[in-house]
Amino acid sequence: MKIALIHATTTALHPIERAFHEEAPDVDLFHFMDTNLLAMMEKSGSLTPEIIRRFSLLVNLAIQSDVDCIQLTCSAFNNVTTILQPLYPVKLFRSDEAMLDEALTYKRIGLISTVKETPIALLSYLREKNPDILVESLVDPGTIHLLSQGRKEEHDERIREMIYQIDGKVDVIVLSQYSMEHVAIQVNPSVPILTAPRTAAKRCLAYLQGLPSS
């Protein structure tokens, strides 16, 4: 199996790579990255024709590599799958759909994000599935960049603060970015915490193996 991973930030690479290799050690992973995409998204605040065009270049490279499916790893860009999927024969997976489907089994969802534009993509998916879902969202814009600056502890502390701030107000907490996955084991809130890399890998692999996705 050959799976393309499309990244807009280096911080998503290791969490998803680890998840796939733990679930399927023999899988071949192909990485395609454009780190300027995140800067463009932060500047524009939404998907623009230029962002979509640049994103499609990565998808084209993945298709040319004869991959079996494509997994996005940056949640702020997930809505691009709706635009691009009709153009390609290969399945494009959102970074978060498996995690969000699990979150939808709860009544009140808490979203923790470190990119300002991420809640837009997540909320659109959640409300499409359940218009009456209750969502509480906390965002600390730009915190994701602390990781690439070598300020991991500061990053983690900000995430922990948001988790404890929202704990007790919701039934489940969703860590929106792949780069926050490691923080989940640093806290002990009163409700479950969901992270995306492992659930995304499982869904992608189940699709390729022709199994029902969980």
Side-chain angles (χ1 to χ4, degrees):
M1 288 183 289
K2 296 193 293 186
I3 299 172
L5 303 174
I6 293 187
H7 311 282
T9 170
T10 59
T11 58
L13 194 154
H14 294 300
I16 190 62
E17 188 173 52
R18 180 174 59 249
F20 269 108
H21 283 154
E22 289 177 357
E23 292 294 325
D26 296 330
V27 70
D28 290 324
L29 300 177
F30 295 74
H31 296 277
F32 300 91
M33 182 181 298
D34 182 348
T35 55
N36 193 47
L37 281 169
L38 183 57
M40 293 172 67
M41 177 67 88
E42 290 175 327
K43 182 178 180 179
S44 67
S46 62
L47 290 174
T48 64
E50 177 62 13
I51 290 174
I52 296 168
R53 185 191 70 80
R54 286 180 69 118
F55 210 97
S56 68
L57 293 176
L58 298 178
V59 176
N60 287 335
L61 288 173
I63 296 293
Q64 292 167 18
S65 300
D66 196 29
V67 298
D68 298 303
C69 72
I70 297 172
Q71 176 68 61
L72 277 60
T73 69
C74 186
S75 52
F77 298 88
N78 279 327
N79 288 346
V80 80
T81 59
T82 304
I83 300 168
L84 296 182
Q85 184 64 82
L87 305 178
Y88 298 98
V90 172
K91 174 67 174 175
L92 277 69
F93 282 100
R94 293 171 58 103
S95 71
D96 57 10
E97 65 180 63
M99 174 182 67
L100 294 183
D101 285 347
E102 184 176 351
L104 283 163
T105 63
Y106 297 87
K107 190 173 182 179
R108 299 175 302 166
I109 300 173
L111 299 181
I112 303 292
S113 309
T114 54
V115 176
K116 183 178 63 176
E117 293 72 26
T118 293
I120 299 171
L122 273 64
L123 282 167
S124 66
Y125 183 89
L126 292 169
R127 297 230 159 100
E128 180 181 355
K129 296 281 186 175
N130 181 0
D132 299 321
I133 195 71
L134 301 176
V135 180
E136 181 94 11
S137 178
L138 290 181
V139 186
D140 193 347
T143 297
I144 190 172
H145 298 299
L146 295 176
L147 291 172
S148 58
Q149 297 168 6
R151 298 157 65 185
K152 179 176 178 293
E153 181 51 43
E154 184 179 347
H155 166 275
D156 293 1
E157 177 59 28
R158 291 192 186 185
I159 306 307
R160 291 193 294 266
E161 289 176 358
M162 285 194 288
I163 290 171
Y164 288 125
Q165 183 179 343
I166 208 169
D167 188 23
K169 301 177 182 178
V170 295
D171 303 315
V172 65
I173 296 171
V174 168
L175 299 187
S176 303
Q177 268 70 45
Y178 279 23
S179 53
M180 291 190 279
E181 181 189 38
H182 64 280
V183 182
I185 62 173
Q186 300 175 9
V187 293
N188 186 31
S190 62
V191 298
I193 292 185
L194 303 182
T195 59
R198 182 63 60 91
T199 56
K202 285 183 175 180
R203 176 161 294 190
C204 184
L205 292 166
Y207 168 82
L208 293 177
Q209 294 163 358
L211 302 174
S213 60
S214 58

